[in-house]
Amino acid sequence: MNRVFKATVVENKKLINNHYLLTLHPAVKIKKPRPGNFFMVAVETGLDPLLKRPFSIHRWIDGNFQLLYRVTGKGTKILSEKKPGNILDILGPLGKGFPFPGKDRQVILVAGGIGIAPMYAMAESIKDKNPLLFYGTKTKKDVLLVDDFRSMGVDLRISTDDGSYGVKGNIVNVLKKYIARDSLKAPYVMYACGPAIMLMKLSGLASEYKMKGYIAMEQNMACGIGTCLGCVVKTRKGHKRVCKEGPVFPIEEIIW
Amino acid sequence: MANKPNLKVNIGKLTLKNPVMSASGTFGYGDEYAEFVDLSTLGAIVVKGLSLKPKQGNPPPRIAETPSGMLNAIGLQNIGIDNFIKKKMPFLRTCKTKVIVNFFGDSIDEYVKAAEKLSSVDGIDALEMNISCPNKQEGWIVFGTDPKVTHKVVSAVRSAAKLPLIVKLSPNVTDISYMAQVAEDAGADALSLINTLTGMAIDVQSRKPKLANITGGLSGPAIKPVALRMVWECFRKVHIPIIGMGGIITSDDAIEFILAGASAVAVGTANFIYPGVTSDIVRGIRTYMSSEGITSITDLTGAIKCRTNRL
């Protein structure tokens, strides 16, 4: 199936505080993305901004798909101004997604800030496992989709930096306390997405408790298909491309 | 009825079915693009620069977008010539287009050894010698910026290479047309220009450079007017064919380069944005020729009409 396609904006809804939910209808049938896959979206047809922007799949609804994004710069600002009926050039789905957990494994999801975007797709794909979601944001206003996760049967643990919602502090510490108390009775597998600092702390935790885990990495990229070599991250096996070998990597593989 | 436009061009002894090729470093080793482009419609594939041994390249972040352009400091990451021959050439031999291999060394000796090795590989049609990467250390930059060193390294490779030799020039010099003459004099069969322009970008919040390497090479439409001017300057000073590149996105961009003096063109950054763009540009050139009544693309090379013949 063609991975170069056009899609019509069905809805571009402001959720809260610079966070938007974009629903797109592809003009042609596209390959169903796996959780952790991403799309490159051209926010303009002109020369500035020049490059497409990568967004992970948030939700797939009967052939339409949703991207959840935060306005952080020029590209996402323009994207936030798109109206229903606007048509966007898109490339995807791209990259390697999250592998499915083993049959007997409990699932822990960890999201920091906008890292919640791919976690929704992941939670939905394994909802029969009643995953636990550890979700940290700066403040109450940034906490998204709580009801959606709950109605899916996800057990949510929330923390905010300022304590305005859930536990005050870092979500990795919340997870650490949980693990220490629970002593990992069942074998767990962890899936995470969020800021580099959070992922780095998680990798420390994973090695301390010998947890299996996968993390979705982010990096500036130009092509999304493995040729510009712009998006590499340092791994134990040398530089690897976020767009091709990633964006999902085994947590122990990344060098921080 | 007018004859079908003839897009064939000669780059030294190398004949291309049309003047459009990929620019090195923007097309991988061809295989990544097979899904998006009918590779047989291209004049040539120019592969990512290779060295004798594989290279890890620079630490990330390696790219930053700038207005109508991008900076990169990949640092010539590549799989090495041996891996390339073993893993990538079998596919490239099936592509029904010419294969041009871009290569570099860290010493004259390495350049020579690389050229010798590549010359004996079945399916490689020409070599493009990179002496112009802006992301290498100071001691390397002289290959493309010090005319004496340029002459020495190009001459040495010329003697060793059994294939048509294209030399890719740096725009980061005072007078590129002088460097073009030096490369011609040293035995180059053709010239590629331009490589990226050295640039930088800073994040004002963190006050850090946006690239780990601090500086990088600027590419994309932002550099097109500069590239075009350089092709025009070199065209008037050398007698060997020029492959023009720098910010080409549309067939009109490509035709501009040809009018300025290029015999062929290479498409770089545009591949990242529109993976099927190379083939679109070939089609666009053909349409232009038909509507302008041009029978052979070679008639367009250097056909810019200037009111005064400024020198």
Side-chain angles (χ1 to χ4, degrees):
Chain A
M1 262 174 275
N2 203 342
R3 292 200 288 173
V4 176
F5 64 95
K6 288 182 189 297
T8 309
V9 175
V10 178
E11 192 180 32
N12 192 16
K13 190 164 116 192
K14 182 171 180 172
L15 298 179
I16 42 160
N17 201 19
N18 275 347
H19 291 71
Y20 289 76
L21 181 63
L22 177 65
T23 307
L24 293 164
H25 174 68
V28 292
K29 195 171 187 282
I30 64 162
K31 193 181 167 201
K32 186 181 172 182
R34 280 194 43 70
N37 282 157
F38 69 98
F39 292 92
M40 296 291 284
V41 178
V43 298
E44 280 284 8
T45 49
L47 300 179
D48 187 28
L50 185 66
L51 304 173
K52 290 191 173 80
R53 273 29 184 188
F55 297 96
S56 63
I57 178 73
H58 174 62
R59 203 173 169 189
W60 174 267
I61 311 165
D62 301 328
N64 284 3
F65 64 98
Q66 289 184 322
L67 309 174
L68 175 67
Y69 63 98
R70 187 179 52 167
V71 175
T72 55
K74 193 159 71 176
T76 41
K77 176 80 177 52
I78 293 167
L79 192 60
S80 73
E81 288 154 7
K82 297 293 170 193
K83 301 272 180 279
N86 287 166
I87 290 167
L88 301 174
D89 282 316
I90 298 177
L91 176 62
L94 303 166
K96 287 215 174 84
F98 290 108
F100 281 119
K103 230 180 171 185
D104 310 319
R105 287 201 183 251
Q106 276 287 346
V107 174
I108 290 179
L109 306 174
V110 189
I114 193 64
I116 196 69
M119 284 307 140
Y120 190 91
M122 189 58 199
E124 201 167 38
S125 74
I126 45 128
K127 60 184 172 196
D128 54 317
K129 286 185 164 288
N130 300 107
L132 258 162
L133 169 62
F134 290 81
Y135 178 21
T137 68
K138 283 201 176 89
T139 181
K140 186 180 177 177
K141 275 199 296 187
D142 296 339
V143 180
L144 297 167
L145 308 164
V146 170
D147 294 339
D148 301 69
F149 278 108
R150 288 221 169 102
S151 67
M152 216 195 280
V154 173
D155 185 0
L156 264 166
R157 311 292 160 101
I158 293 168
S159 78
T160 48
D161 292 350
D162 62 3
S164 56
Y165 195 144
V167 179
K168 182 176 174 165
N170 185 306
I171 197 65
V172 181
N173 293 336
V174 177
L175 174 61
K176 185 175 178 165
K177 271 185 197 153
Y178 174 83
I179 293 171
R181 206 172 43 234
D182 193 58
S183 317
L184 289 182
K185 285 182 206 98
Y188 279 91
V189 59
M190 178 169 72
Y191 300 92
C193 184
I197 181 81
M198 181 195 97
L199 298 178
M200 190 175 80
K201 284 181 179 165
L202 269 183
S203 81
L205 192 70
S207 81
E208 189 182 337
Y209 288 92
K210 302 202 166 31
M211 283 177 81
K212 195 177 159 72
Y214 298 91
I215 51 179
M217 299 289 289
E218 194 177 28
Q219 191 69 273
N220 289 347
M221 62 178 70
C223 70
I225 54 172
T227 60
C228 76
L229 307 181
C231 67
V232 300
V233 287
K234 280 186 200 166
T235 78
R236 304 208 181 278
K237 294 169 191 161
H239 284 139
K240 286 196 174 180
R241 299 165 291 185
V242 167
C243 73
K244 197 87 178 181
E245 286 84 33
V248 175
F249 293 93
I251 193 162
E252 69 279 3
E253 208 173 89
I254 302 296
I255 297 173
W256 299 96
Chain B
M1 198 180 128
N3 289 333
K4 245 177 116 184
N6 180 4
L7 273 79
K8 251 189 222 167
V9 295
N10 292 317
I11 304 295
K13 284 184 186 138
L14 178 71
T15 301
L16 309 182
K17 67 178 95 169
N18 68 62
V20 180
M21 51 182 90
S22 61
S24 176
T26 65
F27 215 69
Y29 303 106
D31 46 352
E32 289 93 342
Y33 277 89
E35 177 189 343
F36 306 106
V37 192
D38 176 357
L39 298 170
S40 73
T41 62
L42 305 184
I45 294 172
V46 185
V47 303
K48 170 75 180 161
L50 292 160
S51 47
L52 288 169
K53 294 259 151 50
K55 298 233 184 248
Q56 272 293 308
N58 287 327
R62 289 174 165 187
I63 61 167
E65 193 183 47
T66 57
S68 300
M70 63 177 279
L71 289 163
N72 87 77
I74 309 303
L76 297 176
Q77 178 182 334
N78 77 91
I79 60 173
I81 288 174
D82 289 336
N83 280 327
F84 168 75
I85 295 169
K86 209 163 70 193
K87 294 176 183 163
K88 303 294 181 179
M89 273 313 294
F91 170 77
L92 285 165
R93 283 187 197 107
T94 67
C95 290
K96 300 192 178 91
T97 183
K98 301 290 179 185
V99 176
I100 299 177
V101 173
N102 182 290
F103 74 100
F104 67 97
D106 283 333
S107 63
I108 291 180
D109 188 49
E110 280 186 22
Y111 268 107
V112 167
K113 285 204 173 93
E116 275 170 354
K117 201 163 201 177
L118 291 165
S119 288
S120 64
V121 178
D122 178 43
I124 299 178
D125 299 290
L127 301 178
E128 183 182 64
M129 179 179 173
N130 178 7
I131 54 167
S132 47
C133 172
N135 298 320
K136 297 282 282 180
Q137 68 284 13
E138 219 167 289
W140 192 91
I141 298 286
V142 293
F143 286 126
T145 56
D146 180 334
K148 285 196 193 81
V149 184
T150 303
H151 197 277
K152 208 169 158 188
V153 70
V154 175
S155 303
V157 169
R158 173 66 287 170
S159 310
K162 311 274 188 298
L163 292 166
L165 178 65
I166 303 160
V167 176
K168 188 161 180 178
L169 298 180
S170 169
N172 305 306
V173 293
T174 310
D175 180 2
I176 195 170
S177 70
Y178 180 68
M179 300 306 285
Q181 290 169 279
V182 169
E184 179 181 35
D185 187 59
D189 295 308
L191 302 171
S192 279
L193 58 124
I194 58 176
N195 206 320
T196 54
L197 288 149
T198 315
M200 64 190 287
I202 304 169
D203 182 300
V204 295
Q205 252 72 49
S206 66
R207 301 189 190 180
K208 287 179 183 162
K210 289 188 180 176
L211 300 174
N213 192 53
I214 305 174
T215 61
L218 181 63
S219 67
I223 71 165
K224 199 193 86 183
V226 178
L228 202 58
R229 182 267 294 178
M230 288 183 167
V231 166
W232 179 70
E233 282 178 351
C234 290
F235 176 67
R236 296 171 339 140
K237 295 284 175 66
V238 297
H239 307 284
I240 49 177
I242 293 169
I243 302 161
M245 65 197 74
I248 294 174
I249 291 203
T250 65
S251 53
D252 278 358
D253 295 334
I255 292 160
E256 273 192 86
F257 274 90
I258 294 169
L259 291 170
S263 295
V265 294
V267 181
T269 302
N271 291 306
F272 299 152
I273 309 153
Y274 313 106
V277 71
T278 39
S279 206
D280 296 344
I281 290 173
V282 176
R283 254 196 312 277
I285 293 174
R286 194 172 284 129
T287 306
Y288 172 86
M289 288 173 69
S290 296
S291 70
E292 299 289 315
I294 294 148
T295 50
S296 172
I297 187 80
T298 55
D299 294 342
L300 283 181
T301 294
I304 178 178
K305 292 177 183 167
C306 297
R307 201 176 279 243
T308 58
N309 200 14
R310 198 185 96 185
L311 274 171

